[in-house]
């Protein structure tokens, strides 16, 4: 059944049926039952690493390696961050975050400085809540002046909600934006508000956020124009007077 589901996974833009969650559930079952071991995963990953594109089975083995926390694959998974394969990158991202160690941080650090890999690399470091991850993001931000690289790093720094990120955040919010890859004002507003820090543009960011959400919905109470007298027949049809029935 596992092989059949993998064959039916359709990664096109309009699949008739999404078999991907089913494949992940089956993968979880395989791991829980002990029907796969490290050597099996090692073999699949070694074969797939030499291919231009990962197969569905290869992606599921990345997922299972994450479930089993096979940290020996951290360098290999980090190297995948330069690939143009979103399905693979999503599972690599999830696996590395699941490991959540400074070993991951050290492996990811070079990739957070590259335009082709910064989005996923920064996301991983933003979700690994260690001091080393925070420091690597700060260093990476200071070492580049490319806005397309800085923006994902700033977003990742904000996920740490640490006052240590204030120098980078303050510097970044000095830019004037015509276009942003991330919702930078939303990121900044959340960061400063949660930390209880002041910023001269905080009220403007709040106003912009409220405008995005649209006008508040006005709820008008419903008024019943046909009032029922206490001695009138009850509207429920019981035949009793309203005061003796629903009007009690």
């Amino acid at each position: 059944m596992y092989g059949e589901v993998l064959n039916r996974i359709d990664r096109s833009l309009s699949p008739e049926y999404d078999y991907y969650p089913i494949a992940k559930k089956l993968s979880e079952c395989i791991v829980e039952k002990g029907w796969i071991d490290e050597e099996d995963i090692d073999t699949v990953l070694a074969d797939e690493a030499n291919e231009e594109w990962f197969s569905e089975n290869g992606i599921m083995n990345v997922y299972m390696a994450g479930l089993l926390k096979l940290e020996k694959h951290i360098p290999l998974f980090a190297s995948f961050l330069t690939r143009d394969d979103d399905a693979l990158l999503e599972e690599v991202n999830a696996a590395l975050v699941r490991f959540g160690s400074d070993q991951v941080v050290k492996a990811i650090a070079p990739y957070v400085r590259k335009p082709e890999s910064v989005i996923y690399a920064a996301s991983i470091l933003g979700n690994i809540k260690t001091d080393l991850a925070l420091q690597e993001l700060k260093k990476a931000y200071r070492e580049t002046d490319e806005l397309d690289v800085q923006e994902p790093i700033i977003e990742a720094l904000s996920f740490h909600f640490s006052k240590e990120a204030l120098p980078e955040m303050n510097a970044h919010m000095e830019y004037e934006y015509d276009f942003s890859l991330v919702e930078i004002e939303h990121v900044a507003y959340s960061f400063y508000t949660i930390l209880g820090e002041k910023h001269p543009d905080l009220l403007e960011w709040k106003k912009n956020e409220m405008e995005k959400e649209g006008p508040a919905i006005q709820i008008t109470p419903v008024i019943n124009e046909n009032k029922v007298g206490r001695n009138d027949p009850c509207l429920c049809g019981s035949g009793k007077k309203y005061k003796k029935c629903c009007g009690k």
Side-chain angles (χ1 to χ4, degrees):
M1 182 178 180
Y2 176 71
E4 181 182 349
V5 168
L6 291 181
N7 289 332
R8 290 188 180 185
I9 291 178
D10 185 355
R11 289 164 63 185
S12 68
L13 294 177
S14 56
E16 288 184 16
Y17 189 81
D18 189 0
Y19 284 90
Y20 199 76
I22 299 175
K24 294 189 75 170
K25 285 291 184 184
L26 288 173
S27 297
E28 291 170 11
C29 180
I30 289 170
V31 169
E32 289 174 3
K33 299 292 185 181
W35 293 340
I36 194 169
D37 57 30
E38 288 189 32
E39 290 184 4
D40 296 329
I41 293 176
D42 293 349
T43 300
V44 171
L45 293 180
D47 291 341
E48 297 275 340
N50 296 319
E51 300 295 330
E52 183 177 0
W53 297 95
F54 258 56
S55 69
E56 309 301 344
N57 183 45
I59 292 173
M60 286 302 106
N61 272 265
V62 170
Y63 178 57
M64 289 188 282
L67 293 177
L68 290 169
K69 293 193 175 182
L70 302 182
E71 295 189 345
K72 62 184 177 182
H73 293 301
I74 288 174
L76 178 64
F77 287 1
S79 72
F80 293 157
L81 292 177
T82 57
R83 295 200 177 202
D84 184 19
D85 187 340
D86 286 343
L88 170 63
L89 291 173
E90 289 291 339
E91 295 307 329
V92 165
N93 185 312
L96 292 173
V97 171
R98 186 176 287 114
F99 296 149
S101 66
D102 280 343
Q103 183 183 350
V104 173
V105 175
K106 292 173 184 177
I108 295 300
Y111 297 93
V112 81
R113 292 163 170 81
K114 299 179 180 180
E116 67 271 23
S117 55
V118 64
I119 293 177
Y120 279 99
S123 174
I124 292 165
L125 296 188
N127 284 288
I128 295 179
K129 302 300 191 290
T130 68
D131 184 63
L132 182 61
L134 176 64
Q135 298 307 322
E136 286 295 342
L137 287 168
K138 285 167 63 69
K139 284 196 295 184
Y141 179 86
R142 294 194 299 268
E143 290 172 8
T144 181
D145 56 3
E146 294 183 49
L147 195 58
D148 290 352
V149 176
Q150 287 182 333
E151 283 189 344
I153 296 173
I154 277 293
E155 185 177 34
L157 274 170
S158 75
F159 294 160
H160 283 264
F161 294 108
S162 170
K163 291 187 178 184
E164 285 194 56
L166 277 170
E168 290 74 25
M169 186 66 74
N170 288 334
H172 196 76
M173 297 316 294
E174 292 295 318
Y175 288 118
E176 292 186 6
Y177 282 89
D178 293 322
F179 173 77
S180 176
L181 294 173
V182 301
E183 294 186 13
I184 196 66
E185 288 188 356
H186 173 77
V187 168
Y189 178 71
S190 300
F191 176 80
Y192 284 94
T193 302
I194 290 174
L195 288 182
E197 291 291 325
K198 296 180 180 180
H199 191 281
D201 295 327
L202 199 60
L203 289 179
E204 181 182 350
W205 298 336
K206 181 179 181 179
K207 178 184 175 183
N208 292 340
E209 285 298 308
M210 292 177 70
E211 288 176 352
K212 288 179 186 177
E213 294 174 2
I217 299 173
Q218 298 294 326
I219 301 175
T220 304
V222 177
I223 300 174
N224 186 356
E225 298 290 345
N226 300 315
K227 294 183 179 179
V228 182
R230 287 180 55 75
N231 291 311
D232 291 340
C234 189
L235 295 177
C236 73
S238 66
K240 298 180 182 179
K241 291 182 178 182
Y242 177 70
K243 68 180 180 181
K244 293 289 188 180
C245 190
C246 295
K248 287 184 178 180

